[in-house]
């Protein structure tokens, strides 16, 4: 799994301009079961996405399609996470083959 924390590097008007395309990008990868959750940071300075992918190369290929990234709206920090303890409700994600 990979947690991606994004930070807006353009003004909020530019963020809002690309939000529909970014939302469609997220929907595509939710449909492929590659995203577990996504959401805005509070205050609205960026966001977070938890990806269910095994390889950094796959994550990088997915992120290369994000309209926020391709249009220079965000920068991101990527952290690989290996779940070792979790609530039983999260097991469906953490125990994937």
């Amino acid at each position: 799994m990979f947690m991606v924390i994004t930070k807006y590097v353009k003004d909020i008007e530019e963020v809002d301009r690309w939000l529909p395309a970014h939302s469609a990008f997220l929907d595509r990868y939710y449909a492929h079961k590659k995203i577990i959750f996504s959401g805005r940071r509070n205050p609205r300075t960026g966001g977070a996405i938890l990806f269910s992918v095994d390889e950094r190369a796959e994550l990088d290929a997915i992120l290369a399609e994000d309209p926020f990234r391709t249009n220079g709206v965000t920068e991101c920090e990527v952290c690989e996470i290996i779940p070792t303890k979790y609530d039983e409700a999260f097991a469906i994600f953490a125990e994937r083959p």
Side-chain angles (χ1 to χ4, degrees):
M1 290 184 180
F2 292 88
M3 173 65 76
V4 177
I5 305 293
T6 64
K7 179 176 100 173
Y8 299 142
V9 294
K10 300 261 178 119
D11 60 38
I12 204 68
E13 291 78 17
E14 190 71 5
V15 171
D16 287 341
R17 175 180 173 206
W18 294 106
L19 189 56
H22 174 71
S23 183
F25 157 80
L26 293 173
D27 289 345
R28 184 168 59 254
Y29 284 100
Y30 273 111
H32 291 297
K33 305 294 187 201
K34 298 295 182 177
I35 298 177
I36 295 171
F37 74 80
S38 60
R40 292 181 180 167
R41 292 169 62 176
N42 188 21
R44 192 176 173 202
T45 58
I49 309 169
L50 182 60
F51 285 90
S52 181
V53 298
D54 295 324
E55 302 292 330
R56 176 63 189 258
E58 181 181 8
L59 175 68
D60 290 341
I62 292 169
L63 291 176
E65 298 176 21
D66 183 355
F68 276 180
R69 302 234 15 237
T70 60
N71 291 285
V73 174
T74 61
E75 293 177 348
C76 68
E77 176 184 355
V78 175
C79 300
E80 185 171 7
I81 300 170
I82 300 168
T84 53
K85 291 184 80 169
Y86 41 85
D87 184 277
E88 65 184 45
F90 192 75
I92 192 169
F93 303 110
E95 296 173 0
R96 288 178 59 172

